[in-house]
Amino acid sequence: MKFKTKDEVHNKALKIEGIKQKDLKKQLGIKIKGDKNAMGDIFESWFGKVKDSASKPDLDVSELKATPFKILKNGKVSAKERLVLNIINYVELDKENFFNSHFMNKNKVIEMAFYEYKRNVNKDEWFFNKCVTYEMEKDKNDLEIIKNDWKKIQSFIRKGKAEDLSERETNYLAACTKGKNKKSLRIQPNSKEMAKQRAFSFKTSFMTTLLRNYIFGNKKSDAIVKDASELENKSLEEIIYNKFSKYLNKTTKELIDILNIPKKNSNTIGKYNVQIVNKILGIRGKQKTNADEFEKASIVPKTIQFDSKKRNKESMSLPPFKFKDLINEKWIDEDGNPSATLNVYLSESKFLFVVFQMDSNGNNYLRGIKFFKMPSKDLNGKVKDAWKNTIQTINNGVKLEFINQSKNGIVHNNFIGAKSQKIIHVRPHTANRSYVKSENSNELPIKAQWTNKPKDFSNYFMTTQSFWLNSNYIKNATKNLLE
């Protein structure tokens, strides 16, 4: 089956939407061995495509990719995983330039078929919800950031450091491992050391933003970079540093005047911090910092408030988890890539810490910013240990104790706490406690071990929890900015 244009491919793809997997297999007369890549195999078969490892696009004019999404508890759409693209040939990449590269030749135009991942629904009932044509060169800002990511990956390879590549090093485009056995090793230039086989991939955060903003909605966050030409000579990080540079070590009183921020009738320390950050970045918002680039690159902005004695009281919340999902996760997948939700989040994310510090006279200063990537030794050491400890606690039955020392009482549990010094700890994600089935709780897979359980409390539901980044870990990451 020959296709002359990307539009012909797209029109053909649209006809697959809504047909269940079991009906597609009958219609196409195919049998699928295993179901891991079933939807991808079916999508290729729909076009009469035979599996190969060619460097050109699957249909010459378009590459084909099937990729899953999931519906979160709050109703939002989220990509389930990164989108793996072509295998990286280290030797060839060393010689290439971006626009004439194998990567661009293969992935410039991708026909993406999105299907909902439904864990409790037989895969035979799954179907493709939406097919779209993704053209990399259409969004000039995205293209420049992807190009810079590609060049960053290339720079590691040119230094003979392919083994040191990490998804935290780049913003939208990453180099994920693909196969982890000895046969999956590849030679690399400028080094005698064999490196793990890797593939280019779009990060989960990038795919999630595509889903939310362009495929299942038209939401558009503010962009920090207003003109793509800014990215031709500077990285996204450099642009952000430059935006903050002229405001450093000014007080919030000075900044609200300079940035024309309305005065507030509040004595809360840090009441202006988020607005100051948003004004400096040139984006809207009073309560949160939402930028298009941050969402796509999984850059997590966080204002950190210190007092005159260099103390920060607040830990940082990470995404909440469901007890039943957490205990079924694996830390890494069969290719050696992050698989557990926490591992994926911390592997892909960079934190943008914006540090404010109060002096002894009550003046609050903007001290500086820092992009922070959690080191692998921390992630695969203490953080992994805390994650395993949490799973073990759930599987053993969470110990809950009701202490009737106040009007509503207090419930203690035996999840890992901040004093454990494990970089992260577990605590409620919501201010509203709940030990019955409700929007503020989720179900335990194992009966809780209660002490002094109130009659109206459940044995199988407890307040939704999340992992939190310890305040002292954040302080250690930013202490060089303090005075």
Side-chain angles (χ1 to χ4, degrees):
M1 198 176 297
K2 293 290 184 180
F3 296 88
K4 295 179 180 179
T5 68
K6 62 181 182 291
D7 292 328
E8 285 184 11
V9 174
H10 181 56
N11 289 334
K12 172 70 174 176
L14 290 176
K15 294 175 183 177
I16 203 174
E17 291 179 359
I19 306 174
K20 293 180 179 179
Q21 186 186 119
K22 61 183 180 184
D23 297 324
L24 284 168
K25 286 190 286 189
K26 288 179 183 177
Q27 184 176 335
L28 296 169
I30 57 173
K31 292 184 178 180
I32 304 292
K33 291 184 179 180
D35 55 15
K36 183 188 174 188
N37 299 313
M39 294 297 277
D41 292 342
I42 288 169
F43 191 53
E44 289 187 350
S45 296
W46 180 253
F47 292 90
K49 172 71 176 63
V50 178
K51 275 192 167 296
D52 60 37
S53 56
S55 59
K56 64 180 183 179
D58 289 328
L59 302 176
D60 292 333
V61 292
S62 300
E63 177 73 354
L64 300 175
K65 290 292 178 184
T67 186
F69 68 90
K70 56 187 178 181
I71 306 295
L72 304 180
K73 189 176 180 180
N74 60 11
K76 287 187 176 181
V77 178
S78 177
K80 182 181 178 290
E81 57 197 31
R82 65 181 64 79
L83 181 66
V84 179
L85 305 170
N86 59 298
I87 296 291
I88 301 173
N89 184 319
Y90 299 131
V91 176
E92 291 298 321
L93 184 64
D94 179 42
K95 307 169 187 174
E96 292 178 331
N97 66 70
F98 177 72
F99 287 104
N100 295 320
S101 65
H102 285 80
F103 167 76
M104 277 300 284
N105 180 49
K106 181 86 167 165
N107 304 296
K108 187 185 296 185
V109 178
I110 305 174
E111 188 65 28
M112 295 183 181
F114 291 91
Y115 61 94
E116 185 179 351
Y117 174 85
K118 297 181 178 180
R119 190 161 63 95
N120 298 319
V121 174
N122 190 301
K123 291 182 174 62
D124 269 349
E125 300 295 317
W126 291 7
F127 56 88
F128 292 105
N129 301 68
K130 192 84 170 175
C131 295
V132 297
T133 304
Y134 171 75
E135 298 179 69
M136 202 180 302
E137 292 180 315
K138 267 198 169 181
D139 190 313
K140 299 301 182 185
N141 283 23
D142 283 3
L143 181 65
E144 286 298 326
I145 292 173
I146 290 167
K147 182 179 76 174
N148 289 338
D149 289 340
W150 183 92
K151 287 183 174 180
K152 186 79 174 280
I153 293 166
Q154 185 188 54
S155 72
F156 271 78
I157 291 160
R158 285 181 167 172
K159 294 173 185 174
K161 299 288 185 183
E163 194 61 28
D164 295 334
L165 278 166
S166 161
E167 294 189 60
R168 292 184 295 280
E169 299 293 339
T170 51
N171 291 309
Y172 299 175
L173 182 70
C176 65
T177 54
K178 191 65 177 169
K180 63 176 181 177
N181 56 42
K182 292 181 179 179
K183 292 181 181 178
S184 299
L185 296 177
R186 281 181 170 262
I187 60 171
Q188 59 174 320
N190 308 313
S191 175
K192 294 180 181 179
E193 183 180 358
M194 298 284 282
K196 287 179 183 175
Q197 179 171 275
R198 292 180 182 271
F200 286 113
S201 65
F202 284 139
K203 289 187 176 184
T204 309
S205 53
F206 182 75
M207 295 302 297
T208 294
T209 308
L210 290 183
L211 278 162
R212 291 179 182 175
N213 292 4
Y214 310 117
I215 297 167
F216 288 105
N218 55 11
K219 173 182 171 289
K220 181 74 174 176
S221 299
D222 285 342
I224 295 168
V225 180
K226 311 302 183 187
D227 185 345
S229 64
E230 293 182 69
L231 290 157
E232 290 177 3
N233 299 308
K234 292 187 180 78
S235 68
L236 177 61
E237 290 84 351
E238 288 170 334
I239 290 171
I240 292 171
Y241 273 118
N242 287 344
K243 284 182 178 289
F244 276 91
S245 60
K246 63 182 178 182
Y247 300 109
L248 300 182
N249 294 313
K250 294 187 183 297
T251 66
T252 54
K253 288 182 180 179
E254 293 174 305
L255 291 170
I256 61 175
D257 288 335
I258 295 169
L259 299 168
N260 296 314
I261 296 174
K263 301 276 179 67
K264 294 183 179 183
N265 294 320
S266 170
N267 295 320
T268 304
I269 296 174
K271 62 193 173 200
Y272 293 105
N273 291 1
V274 172
Q275 273 186 278
I276 287 170
V277 170
N278 290 351
K279 281 283 190 176
I280 290 172
L281 292 174
I283 58 177
R284 295 185 296 271
K286 296 180 180 180
Q287 305 297 325
K288 293 182 179 181
T289 299
N290 292 322
D292 190 54
E293 295 91 344
F294 289 171
E295 291 178 1
K296 290 175 180 173
S298 193
I299 294 173
V300 183
K302 179 68 176 177
T303 58
I304 312 296
Q305 180 66 59
F306 288 88
D307 63 18
S308 60
K309 296 182 180 179
K310 300 182 180 181
R311 295 176 299 195
N312 60 316
K313 296 179 180 179
E314 292 186 5
S315 296
M316 177 181 167
S317 65
L318 304 177
F321 56 80
K322 292 183 179 180
F323 303 115
K324 285 187 171 182
D325 290 346
L326 185 65
I327 63 169
N328 290 312
E329 290 185 335
K330 293 182 180 179
W331 188 247
I332 58 174
D333 65 19
E334 60 187 21
D335 290 324
N337 289 306
S339 177
T341 304
L342 179 66
N343 195 8
V344 171
Y345 181 80
L346 293 176
S347 293
E348 291 193 352
S349 297
K350 283 185 287 190
F351 297 100
L352 171 58
F353 292 133
V354 184
V355 174
F356 291 83
Q357 185 182 18
M358 186 78 74
D359 68 9
S360 56
N361 296 317
N363 298 307
N364 202 21
Y365 289 85
L366 172 59
R367 291 301 187 197
I369 69 170
K370 182 172 184 177
F371 283 96
F372 177 76
K373 298 171 285 190
M374 183 176 285
S376 293
K377 65 179 179 63
D378 290 348
L379 179 56
N380 293 303
K382 289 184 177 181
V383 172
K384 181 181 178 182
D385 289 343
W387 174 82
K388 289 169 68 175
N389 177 282
T390 304
I391 291 174
Q392 186 176 13
T393 299
I394 296 169
N395 282 329
N396 289 340
V398 182
K399 293 181 180 178
L400 301 173
E401 181 180 8
F402 182 80
I403 301 174
N404 192 14
Q405 62 184 32
S406 65
K407 181 180 178 181
N408 296 315
I410 296 172
V411 178
H412 286 310
N413 63 55
N414 64 327
F415 281 124
I416 195 164
K419 293 181 180 179
S420 67
Q421 301 299 310
K422 289 290 187 183
I423 297 178
I424 60 171
H425 63 280
V426 175
R427 70 188 229 215
H429 190 76
T430 171
N432 301 314
R433 81 172 187 192
S434 178
Y435 292 88
V436 295
K437 187 176 182 180
S438 76
E439 62 179 11
N440 296 311
S441 69
N442 71 84
E443 190 174 2
L444 293 162
I446 306 296
K447 182 179 179 181
Q449 299 183 49
W450 270 102
T451 301
N452 301 325
K453 183 177 81 68
K455 288 183 179 179
D456 57 339
F457 282 16
S458 168
N459 287 313
Y460 285 97
F461 285 90
M462 73 173 291
T463 308
T464 298
Q465 307 285 311
S466 65
F467 292 106
W468 291 68
L469 201 60
N470 293 356
S471 59
N472 62 348
Y473 187 76
I474 297 171
K475 178 180 178 178
N476 287 333
T478 57
K479 60 185 178 183
N480 64 309
L481 299 176
L482 301 175
E483 292 189 3

